[in-house]
Amino acid sequence: MADRLSLHSALFDADRIALNNLAKIERSFEPGSFIIREGDHPTELLVLTSGLCIIHKISTDGYRQIVSIKLSEDIININNIYLDISDYNVQSLTRCTVVAVPKNEMRSLATQRVALGTALIRASLIEASIYREWILNNGRRDARTRIGHLLCELAVRLDVSGTASGQAYDLPMSQEQLGDAVSITPVHVNRSLKSLVHDGLIEQSGRRIVFPDWNRLKDEAGFNERYLHGRQRS
C-alpha cells in the first residue's frame, strides 16, 4: 500500500511505519471467488497483494457491468474508509491474495497523519478519474476503439518500470469478461481483437498481448495516460 501511495504522494518514514504496524490478516481467493458482495458492510480495507480482480454491478435483469479492474498493490475498496455499505461486487479474476486491515484504524491514521490522509484522498480522486474515462470509453467510442483503449490502460498500469512504453503482458480475461468491461458482446470483442491483430496494432498468443506499434495503437484508441495521473507527486 505504501509503495502504491508513494507513486502519487510523498510519505514519511513514520507513515510507512504506522501502516506496517496496523493489524493485518492475509486471505487467498480462488479465481471467480467473491471478495466483497454488494450490500456487505466491510469492516476492513483490502489491499490486493497478488493477482487481479474486478469490480462489477449486476442489473435487475441479470446483466453484469465490470466498472473497474484492480491490479496488484491496488486498494480494492478505498471508499469503505468512510462509506459503510458496499454498492458493488468484487470478484477475483485470477488466484488473489488480499491483506485486510481494520478500516477504523486506517481512518484514524488518515486523520492523525496529514501526508497519509492526503495520499488516500489523492488515490481516491485518481480512481474517480479512471471511472470518468471508462464512462467516456463505453459511451462514445466504437467497439474496436474501446478494446484498444482498455488494452492500452492495462499496459500502462501493469508497467512497474513506469516507462509506459507498451510492454507485453498476460491478460487473464475471457472475451465475455472483456465485453462486460466495455459494454459490447463477446462476438464484437472477437471481431475487434481480430481487427487490431490484422492491422498490426497488437499481437495475441493465448493470453499474451504484444504491442508491435505502441504509438499507433495509442493514436487509434484515442489513449492519453493523463487520466491515470501516473507518478505525479506535486
Side-chain angles (χ1 to χ4, degrees):
M1 185 193 299
D3 288 344
R4 178 53 59 91
L5 293 175
S6 293
L7 295 177
H8 312 289
S9 304
L11 293 181
F12 298 104
D13 289 342
D15 297 318
R16 291 176 173 271
I17 292 171
L19 286 172
N20 194 50
N21 287 338
L22 288 171
K24 295 178 284 292
I25 299 175
E26 185 175 274
R27 302 190 182 102
S28 295
F29 297 88
E30 295 302 316
S33 300
F34 279 86
I35 300 171
I36 297 175
R37 288 185 181 271
E38 185 170 357
D40 285 351
H41 292 69
T43 60
E44 300 165 321
L45 197 66
L46 305 180
V47 181
L48 186 64
T49 55
S50 67
L52 281 79
C53 63
I54 54 174
I55 293 179
H56 66 83
K57 295 180 70 72
I58 305 294
S59 67
T60 54
D61 49 1
Y63 290 102
R64 178 179 65 180
Q65 179 66 51
I66 295 173
V67 298
S68 180
I69 300 171
K70 294 296 183 181
L71 312 179
S72 180
E73 297 184 4
D74 282 345
I75 302 173
I76 294 174
N77 60 329
I78 193 169
N79 61 300
N80 286 134
I81 296 179
Y82 294 106
L83 299 180
D84 293 331
I85 301 176
S86 175
D87 55 83
Y88 52 77
N89 302 291
V90 181
Q91 194 171 9
S92 57
L93 270 179
T94 65
R95 191 174 191 277
C96 292
T97 304
V98 169
V99 169
V101 299
K103 74 172 190 179
N104 288 339
E105 292 185 28
M106 179 61 73
R107 185 187 301 172
S108 295
L109 275 185
T111 302
Q112 297 164 12
R113 307 203 62 83
V114 175
L116 180 58
T118 300
L120 290 168
I121 291 171
R122 182 168 288 185
S124 182
L125 292 173
I126 291 171
E127 186 171 277
S129 177
I130 295 173
Y131 281 134
R132 286 193 293 273
E133 190 69 23
W134 276 47
I135 291 171
L136 173 63
N137 197 44
N138 291 349
R140 292 298 180 183
R141 295 179 176 129
D142 61 34
R144 171 177 142 133
T145 307
R146 293 182 199 182
I147 290 292
H149 195 278
L150 179 59
L151 295 179
C152 287
E153 177 182 308
L154 292 175
V156 173
R157 292 176 61 198
L158 286 165
D159 181 11
V160 294
S161 68
T163 58
S165 58
Q167 66 177 11
Y169 60 85
D170 292 325
L171 179 63
M173 296 180 72
S174 67
Q175 292 188 358
E176 179 183 2
Q177 290 165 340
L178 285 170
D180 286 350
V182 297
S183 303
I184 59 177
T185 67
V187 172
H188 281 90
V189 172
N190 184 268
R191 290 174 181 168
S192 298
L193 289 171
K194 286 183 176 179
S195 175
L196 292 170
V197 170
H198 179 269
D199 289 347
L201 296 173
I202 66 169
E203 295 174 1
Q204 186 178 21
S205 178
R207 296 184 181 275
R208 193 70 172 169
I209 303 293
V210 179
F211 303 96
D213 195 337
W214 172 244
N215 288 328
R216 189 159 69 93
L217 175 62
K218 287 201 303 179
D219 288 343
E220 296 241 356
F223 179 78
N224 185 319
E225 56 262 37
R226 182 187 304 113
Y227 71 96
L228 297 172
H229 300 277
R231 290 167 172 78
Q232 296 179 1
R233 294 169 54 173
S234 59

